[in-house]
């Protein structure tokens, strides 16, 4: 058959729009189709090459968005649905819930909580030719107490009230082993107690250790060595 003449008929194609992405390209494609002067031919449902490209781009964007959203949900959902384990409000309740006293943080902790470096902290005084960490009831240091004594304070002392004191040496060791626990627990995906986990506590311990280290003798001697590499993250 001969080629048809006259104004081409208006042919309306289904518009595929994803958040109004790409109107300028869609218009350019329509103009190019009209400039060709050819009337679209149908064999079932067909679209122009430009519309096919745009549709593919829309689908690609949609797939990428779904993948990103799915990955975000996989990352966040475990924390959303992880229940909080507690030890109650008394030693009796704590024992019933399977909790025990953690000497590193001086808190009663559920069995599910990480206990990394508890024993290392308790045994560390031996490396300093000390028998154990020293604790007292107040700053007068007149009444000495033990970890077993402090475990009872959770029930007998008002919450938030200072109930024991110790040396700065113990405080520095507590911070060091606490930071190691935090790192080990996060690396292993384990539960971390709410005394060790907060970022402000981590920052406090780092600043305390840094201040003590900066006052140590011999830190200005040429002893530190390192190497330069191409890293990654």
């Amino acid at each position: 058959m001969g080629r048809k003449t006259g104004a081409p008929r208006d042919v309306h194609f289904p518009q595929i729009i994803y958040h109004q992405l790409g109107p300028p390209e869609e218009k350019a494609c329509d103009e190019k189709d009209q400039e060709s002067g050819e009337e679209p031919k149908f064999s079932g449902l067909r679209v122009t090459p430009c519309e096919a490209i745009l549709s593919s781009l829309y689908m690609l964007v949609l797939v990428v968005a779904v993948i990103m959203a799915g990955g975000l949900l996989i990352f966040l959902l475990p924390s959303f649905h992880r229940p909080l384990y507690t030890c109650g409000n008394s030693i009796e309740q704590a024992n019933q819930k399977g909790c025990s006293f953690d000497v590193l943080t001086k808190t009663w902790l559920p069995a599910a909580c990480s206990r990394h470096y508890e024993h290392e902290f308790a045994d560390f005084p031996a490396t300093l030719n000390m028998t154990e960490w020293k604790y007292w009831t107040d700053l007068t240091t007149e009444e000495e107490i033990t970890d077993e004594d402090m475990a009872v304070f959770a029930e007998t002392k008002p919450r938030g009230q200072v109930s024991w004191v110790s040396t700065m040496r113990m405080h520095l060791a507590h911070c060091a082993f606490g930071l190691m626990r935090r790192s080990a627990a996060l690396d292993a995906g384990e539960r971390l107690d709410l005394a060790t986990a907060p970022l402000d506590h981590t920052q406090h311990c780092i600043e305390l250790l840094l201040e003590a280290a900066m006052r140590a003798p011999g830190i200005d001697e040429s002893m530190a060595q390192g190497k330069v590499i191409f890293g990654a993250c």
Side-chain angles (χ1 to χ4, degrees):
M1 296 178 64
R3 184 174 181 177
K4 293 185 180 181
T5 60
R9 292 179 299 172
D10 292 334
V11 179
H12 300 284
F13 296 100
Q15 297 299 313
I16 303 175
I17 302 176
Y18 180 74
H19 292 296
Q20 301 297 328
L21 179 65
E25 291 79 6
E26 184 176 334
K27 181 178 180 181
C29 286
D30 291 342
E31 291 176 350
K32 184 175 180 181
D33 293 339
Q34 292 176 4
E35 290 174 358
S36 66
E38 296 183 0
E39 181 177 348
K41 298 180 181 180
F42 290 87
S43 176
L45 179 61
R46 300 184 61 184
V47 295
T48 64
C50 283
E51 287 180 323
I53 294 174
L54 288 175
S55 299
S56 299
L57 289 175
Y58 297 148
M59 291 301 298
L60 178 60
V61 171
L62 180 60
V63 170
V64 172
V66 170
I67 292 175
M68 293 180 64
L72 183 62
L73 286 175
I74 292 174
F75 178 77
L76 293 177
L77 281 178
S79 61
F80 289 158
H81 295 287
R82 175 175 282 188
L84 180 66
Y85 295 156
T86 64
C87 293
N89 298 305
S90 68
I91 294 177
E92 181 181 1
Q93 292 178 1
N95 288 325
Q96 291 174 350
K97 290 175 174 287
C99 298
S100 59
F101 187 71
D102 175 40
V103 299
L104 175 57
T105 61
K106 304 299 184 286
T107 57
W108 287 83
L109 294 179
C113 293
S114 171
R115 301 296 280 266
H116 289 296
Y117 296 102
E118 179 182 13
H119 297 299
E120 289 83 348
F121 167 77
D123 296 338
F124 194 69
T127 66
L128 306 174
N129 294 321
M130 300 167 52
T131 56
E132 59 186 3
W133 297 118
K134 298 295 185 180
Y135 302 97
W136 300 272
T137 56
D138 54 43
L139 292 173
T140 64
T141 67
E142 293 178 355
E143 183 181 353
E144 190 171 341
I145 54 177
T146 64
D147 287 314
E148 290 74 16
D149 296 326
M150 286 185 284
V152 181
F153 290 167
E155 183 176 69
T156 60
K157 300 288 186 178
R159 183 178 180 86
Q161 175 182 314
V162 175
S163 54
W164 59 268
V165 298
S166 187
T167 62
M168 181 56 69
R169 188 185 300 274
M170 187 286 306
H171 194 173
L172 293 171
H174 156 80
C175 278
F177 285 106
L179 290 172
M180 286 189 280
R181 170 182 288 185
R182 192 177 199 276
S183 178
L186 293 177
D187 187 61
E190 298 174 348
R191 286 178 172 271
L192 187 60
D193 64 88
L194 299 187
T196 307
L199 185 59
D200 57 348
H201 179 266
T202 299
Q203 183 174 350
H204 156 74
C205 278
I206 291 174
E207 292 175 350
L208 187 69
L209 291 168
L210 181 61
E211 182 180 358
M214 290 299 101
R215 296 179 179 179
I219 62 172
D220 292 319
E221 297 180 11
S222 300
M223 300 176 60
Q225 301 182 62
K227 57 184 178 180
V228 180
I229 63 172
F230 292 101
C233 64

